[in-house]
Amino acid sequence: MNKQITVIVGAQWGDEGKGKLTDFLAQNMDYVVRFHGGNNAGHTVVVGDKVYKLHLLPSGVVSPHVTSIIGNGVVVDPKVLLEELNNFIVDNPKPKLLVSQRAHVIMPYHIAMDEALSGHQGSLGAGSTKRGIAPVYADKAYRHGIRIGDLLEPEILKEKLDKAYKFNVDMLQKVFDFEFSTPKEDIYAEYLEYGKKLKEYIYDTELELAMAYKFGQNILFEGAQGMSLDPDHGMYPHTTSSNNVAGYCEVGAGVGLNCEKRILGIVKAYVSRVGNSPFTTELLDETGDFIREKGFEYGTTTGRPRRIGWLDLVQVRQTVRTSGLTEMAVTKLDVLAGMEEIKVCVAYSIDGKMVTEMPASLEAMRKAKPVYTSFPGWEDFSPEEKERIKKEGFKSLPETMQKYLKFLEEQAGCKVSIASFGPDRSETIFA
Ligand code: GDP
Ligand code: IMO
Ligand code: MG
C-alpha cells in the first residue's frame, strides 16, 4: 500500500472522479503531476462548501502542502491557464505550481483547426471539446510546435511562429475554406505577453521530479480522460489525441520510475460518455435520464449532457490490462441508490459470438450488443448511516453493494480498494 509512486487513470470514457480521488490521496503526497491532455479535461474537487472545477491546474493545488506540476506531455492554452490561476489565487495566494518548459502551447489557429476538423470528420469524429487538442499534438509530431519555454525567447518564438502560422493558416484557408483572420503579429505580441506572466512558474520540471523521486518524496500522477479515449488503445478514431494509459506517465512527466507503482483505476459505477462513438451499454430511456439527473452528468468543460450507460466490464478489463492496474476505486455508488435492479455488462455479443475482451475493430464495436448480469440495488444512505460507514468502512456497506463490488473484482481481475459515495473528499472509504 505504501508506494512512493501512485498513478490515477480513468477506466472508462473520462469523468469517473479522477479529480476527487487525486485530491483525496493528495493528503499524503508531496507532488501531484498532470502528464497529458489539456483543458479538454475538467476535474472537480469538493472540500466542504468549496467546489473547484479545474481544467489545467493539477488537483493538487487545492492542498497547500503539495507541489503541482504541469508536465511536458500536457498541452497548455496559456490564456486558459492564466484565467484559471487568476481565479484560483483570489482565495489561495502563492500556489506551488511548476510548468514544464517542454509542454506544447495551444495557439489560436489550433482552436480554429479543431472546429474545421470536427466539421470534416463527420461520422468518424469524436465530438471534440474544440480546445485545439488534436491540432496541437499534430504540430508536435510535425515538429513545428511551440513550447512554453519558447514564449520566453522572442527570437525563437518569431522563427517558430513564422512556420507554424503559415502551415496552419494555409491549411485552414486552402483545405477547409475556413476563415482565420488574426494577424501573425497580434498572436506574437499576445503570446510573448503570456510568457512574461507565466515566467515565474516555468521550470525544469523533469529535473525537479527526478530529484523528488531520488529523495523518496511521494508523487501522484493525475491522469486525464479515460481508457476508451486513448488514441492507441481506445475506440479509435473516436478518441482524444494523447495517451492516457498509466505507462504514459513517465513520458509525459519526463522521469524514469524504476520501481513498483500503485496504479489506481477510477471506475464509475455506471458509464458516461461526452461525444461520439459506439456505446454498447447506452441507456436511452428513463433509467438513463434518472442517472444523468441524480449524478449531475453534464460536462465540466462544455456543459454538454453526458450520454449514460450501464457499467461495462469489457471496458474495465481492458483498462486493468493496458494500465496494469493494481487496484480500483469505484465512484458514484450513491447515484445508483434507490434503483430496484442494477445491470453490469459482462461481455459483448457480436455476430452471435460472446466477446469478453475489447475488439480493435470499429465494425465489431458498431455491432456489439451487451450481455448483462443483474443485481438487486441498495437504498440511499441516511446522514447517520453515512457517518457510520465512514467510521466502520467496507464491512458496513449494504450487503447488495458488497456483492456487486465483489463481482466487479472477480470479473475485472483487480481488487476494489476504495469506494466513493458522494462528491466530498470525506465521502470516501478504503477497503
Ligand atoms: P474527472 O474528470 O474524472 O475528474 O471527473 P469530473 O470531475 O469531470 O466528474 C465527476 C463528477 O462527479 C464531479 O462533479 C464530482 O464532484 C462528482 N463525484 C465524484 N465522486 C462522486 C461520488 O462518489 N458520488 C457523487 N454523487 N458524485 C461524485
Ligand atoms: P476528463 O479528464 C470526458 C472527449 C471529448 C471527445 C473526445 C476528443 O475530465 O475525464 P478532444 O477535445 O480531446 O479532441 O475530444 O474526447 N474528452 C473527454 N470526455 N472527459 C474528459 O476529460 C475528456 N477529454 C476529452 O468529448 O469525445
Ligand atoms: Mg471530467
Side-chain angles (χ1 to χ4, degrees), residues 21 45 95 99 137 266 342 425:
L21 268 300
V45 174
V99 183
Y137 279 115
I266 315 300
I342 292 171
R425 184 192 283 169

Side-chain angles (χ1 to χ4, degrees), residues 14-16 18 41-44 300 306:
D15 304 327
E16 299 92 347
K18 299 176 292 295
H43 294 184
T44 315
T300 317
R306 295 172 180 156

Side-chain angles (χ1 to χ4, degrees), residues 324-342:
L325 297 191
T326 59
E327 52 198 280
M328 304 190 286
V330 181
T331 60
K332 299 202 123 170
L333 286 159
D334 54 308
V335 175
L336 297 186
M339 302 184 80
E340 230 164 78
E341 183 190 34
I342 292 171

